[in-house]
Amino acid sequence: MQYQVTDSINAEQEAVKHVTREIEKLKAKKNAEVTAIRSWRFKYQAWKNRIIRGSSNDSNPLFLSIQRYNKLVDQLNSIHLIKDSNVEDYTELLEQVGTSISKIRQVNENLVEKGPIVSDINQAYSVLDNYQNNEKMYKDAQEKYQAYLTQYNEWEKAYDAWKELINQANKKIENMTEIVNDNRWNTSLVTPDLERHTLSINNEGIEEVATEMARQIMSGNKNEVIEDRLWAVIGRPTITTRFVGLETLTSSLTKELQDRLSSWIEDGQDHLNDEKKPVEPAPVYEPEKPAAEQTVIFQPIEISGLIGTQVDEKLVSEMDSYATGKYDNTRGKADEINNLAQKIGKDCPMIADADTKFDNSELLMAVSELRNASEKFGGQRNSSKGLTIINKFKESVEQLENVTNYNDLEYSSVRFSETSTQLFIWLASNWWQMGGTPTGNAHLWHGNGARKLVIKKSKNVSKTN
């Protein structure tokens, strides 16, 4: 079943996701400088290892093992465990790195033990295991979700069949009502109860008809009363008129009508009750595919003193001062680094100058879309808890609109994430359209008390129930 309010809530969820993506883009831009420094350092170290040459190194087992290791970790550093990654390729590379470490250890145990590479590969395996465990949990959750969809479809069919039975029963009640109430006295003898799918006897109407029948009988029109078509429907009466007065005869006819109508209603109605109504299965929400952690970054192994004659050792040593140690050694030194790279030559990598200027125009457009999605709501009633959650969410959206720098964005984005999460958790637990259970007198299926979406033409930020 799909409801208008469900579509509107989904639209607001998509708008929240859009805002979140724009926040992440700004954060990524903030980190662009660090990314540029890290990338350049890796490229430089890889370049340096490639240009380490010399006749004494061509057959040096340590040099060749480290060269092989650095080539492998350069490949590993280019892989990240995200949804579309080839995990098998990453696993195979890790195994090759492990083999390379063993070869380095055979040549120089101290180089391996003193360096971070053993702990790095252990950490990388830990990240891989965590990713694979999350993948398994995701697949299990996905199976449960598919099972729920199957169960829900079966329930939906059963519920539709139940509703059809209800409709048929109520049509029958309406027909029975019309047959009995369309009498010569134009008096209502029964009242339909479509909520309970039954008829109830109208004692006041029965007494009125019984009184009129008694008067006609006492006036000598007994046969006309007995032949009335009402009795043909509910069963012929047993009427004794000898030695009885009007009041006694009226009382007798009243009971006769009540008994006959009760028996006719009992025989004619379909006995339905809510105990037979199919129970909707508890909702299971579609899981999100896990976004794995970034793989461990391996530092290439440097071999001091093995630089050949192809480059100027002094220039390389100067470049090393930028490429090692704290990132402050590299930060803001793009011109010096690139000038030095040109002097060194041999395709020495240059560093990119990252643009970290704060520009939130795309974020503001996403927030505007969120407000447009929110404007589709309005007019529905909310609990005090719901109103509090909605107001906090509005405040977080306003904070996002007013950010002017990365520091403000950091705080406002955390607040927005918290309030939007609270909002959709509340919606899922309190809106029946989202599988929740409303509080108060809101009916699950129909009636004036049901929570319904009311489309507003005003431009105020909406309530969301």
Side-chain angles (χ1 to χ4, degrees):
M1 294 182 182
Q2 190 69 24
Y3 299 89
Q4 186 181 18
V5 66
T6 309
D7 291 337
S8 298
I9 292 175
N10 289 340
E12 192 160 17
Q13 286 177 318
E14 290 302 317
V16 168
K17 289 180 181 179
H18 186 189
V19 171
T20 302
R21 287 195 298 270
E22 294 303 325
I23 290 173
E24 293 304 318
K25 286 181 183 179
L26 281 174
K27 289 183 177 180
K29 187 176 181 182
K30 175 188 176 184
N31 296 328
E33 185 181 44
V34 173
T35 302
I37 292 174
R38 182 187 295 119
S39 176
W40 174 75
R41 286 193 172 192
F42 290 153
K43 290 178 181 178
Y44 172 75
Q45 293 296 343
W47 170 84
K48 181 179 173 181
N49 288 327
R50 284 196 299 271
I51 58 91
I52 294 177
R53 292 293 185 271
S55 58
S56 60
N57 293 329
D58 291 339
S59 59
N60 185 323
L62 178 60
F63 170 81
L64 295 176
S65 296
I66 293 176
Q67 189 179 55
R68 168 66 175 162
Y69 170 83
N70 288 340
K71 181 178 180 180
L72 289 170
V73 299
D74 189 43
Q75 290 179 266
L76 273 178
N77 288 337
S78 67
I79 295 179
H80 301 283
L81 283 179
I82 55 177
K83 293 182 180 180
D84 299 325
S85 293
N86 191 330
V87 179
E88 289 74 19
D89 288 349
Y90 183 72
T91 305
E92 182 180 349
L93 276 174
L94 269 183
E95 293 173 352
Q96 292 181 34
V97 169
T99 301
S100 182
I101 289 175
S102 298
K103 291 182 179 179
I104 295 173
R105 181 180 283 113
Q106 293 173 5
V107 180
N108 190 321
E109 186 78 10
N110 292 332
L111 183 60
V112 175
E113 296 302 333
K114 291 180 180 180
I117 59 177
V118 172
S119 61
D120 280 354
I121 195 169
N122 289 337
Q123 186 182 354
Y125 272 115
S126 176
V127 170
L128 181 62
D129 289 343
N130 185 58
Y131 176 79
Q132 291 173 333
N133 288 337
N134 288 342
E135 276 286 291
K136 184 179 183 304
M137 292 171 62
Y138 166 77
K139 290 178 181 177
D140 292 343
Q142 189 70 13
E143 289 178 1
K144 292 179 180 178
Y145 176 70
Q146 292 301 325
Y148 161 74
L149 290 182
T150 300
Q151 187 180 7
Y152 184 87
N153 289 336
E154 292 174 354
W155 166 81
E156 212 170 27
K157 292 177 183 178
Y159 184 81
D160 288 342
W162 162 258
K163 290 292 290 184
E164 181 60 27
L165 287 176
I166 295 299
N167 291 337
Q168 292 175 4
N170 285 343
K171 286 180 181 178
K172 191 172 184 180
I173 293 298
E174 290 172 347
N175 290 336
M176 292 173 70
T177 302
E178 184 177 353
I179 289 171
V180 173
N181 287 346
D182 185 19
N183 51 62
R184 60 187 295 188
W185 297 280
N186 294 321
T187 302
S188 174
L189 300 179
V190 294
T191 303
D193 186 350
L194 299 184
E195 285 288 332
R196 300 171 60 191
H197 328 299
T198 187
L199 289 168
S200 60
I201 293 175
N202 183 359
N203 290 320
E204 183 177 347
I206 289 175
E207 290 175 2
E208 180 181 339
V209 170
T211 301
E212 185 61 28
M213 282 182 172
R215 286 175 180 169
Q216 290 188 20
I217 290 172
M218 296 299 288
S219 299
N221 297 323
K222 178 179 178 180
N223 290 336
E224 183 178 348
V225 171
I226 293 176
E227 295 301 323
D228 188 89
R229 64 190 181 94
L230 173 64
W231 299 110
V233 174
I234 65 176
R236 296 188 67 82
T238 302
I239 302 175
T240 301
T241 60
R242 295 183 61 187
F243 312 115
V244 296
L246 178 62
E247 184 176 348
T248 302
L249 182 57
T250 300
S251 177
S252 176
L253 285 170
T254 299
K255 187 175 186 308
E256 187 83 2
L257 283 169
Q258 289 174 334
D259 291 345
R260 297 287 182 181
L261 280 171
S262 295
S263 178
W264 178 73
I265 291 171
E266 180 67 19
D267 292 339
Q269 70 177 350
D270 294 326
H271 295 280
L272 300 174
N273 55 68
D274 285 341
E275 291 178 1
K276 297 180 181 180
K277 182 171 68 177
V279 179
E280 182 177 358
V284 176
Y285 299 104
E286 183 175 7
E288 289 190 9
K289 187 172 177 62
E293 304 171 51
Q294 181 175 305
T295 60
V296 175
I297 300 298
F298 288 81
Q299 294 289 347
I301 298 176
E302 295 185 55
I303 308 177
S304 59
L306 294 180
I307 298 179
T309 58
Q310 294 186 359
V311 294
D312 188 327
E313 289 189 40
K314 291 183 178 179
L315 294 179
V316 172
S317 178
E318 183 180 352
M319 187 67 86
D320 286 344
S321 67
Y322 297 117
T324 57
K326 296 180 179 180
Y327 277 16
D328 285 341
N329 295 344
T330 311
R331 185 174 286 111
K333 308 290 186 359
D335 291 339
E336 294 87 335
I337 291 171
N338 291 337
N339 289 335
L340 187 57
Q342 289 179 342
K343 292 180 181 178
I344 294 174
K346 301 295 182 182
D347 296 323
C348 181
M350 303 176 75
I351 188 171
D353 193 7
D355 176 19
T356 59
K357 181 181 178 181
F358 184 79
D359 180 5
N360 65 337
S361 56
E362 294 293 328
L363 173 60
L364 292 178
M365 290 176 62
V367 170
S368 177
E369 290 179 8
L370 174 57
R371 285 192 175 277
N372 289 338
S374 297
E375 284 173 1
K376 294 181 180 179
F377 283 104
Q380 60 274 7
R381 295 170 285 110
N382 298 295
S383 63
S384 59
K385 177 182 177 181
L387 186 58
T388 299
I389 292 174
I390 292 168
N391 287 337
K392 288 182 178 180
F393 175 70
K394 291 180 185 177
E395 292 172 2
S396 70
V397 173
E398 292 174 357
Q399 286 179 351
L400 276 180
E401 287 181 314
N402 294 324
V403 297
T404 58
N405 55 62
Y406 289 112
N407 290 334
D408 291 344
L409 176 68
E410 190 66 29
Y411 171 80
S412 298
S413 62
V414 171
R415 183 63 180 150
F416 176 77
S417 176
E418 291 174 349
T419 58
S420 59
T421 299
Q422 290 172 356
L423 174 63
F424 290 116
I425 288 175
W426 174 74
L427 285 173
S429 63
N430 285 268
W431 279 68
W432 59 263
Q433 293 95 335
M434 303 302 290
T437 303
T439 57
N441 63 351
H443 196 282
L444 283 177
W445 295 108
H446 55 75
N448 293 331
R451 290 182 176 170
K452 301 176 181 177
L453 178 69
V454 178
I455 301 300
K456 292 180 64 180
K457 295 182 179 180
S458 66
K459 295 186 177 180
N460 295 328
V461 176
S462 69
K463 296 180 180 179
T464 51
N465 203 35

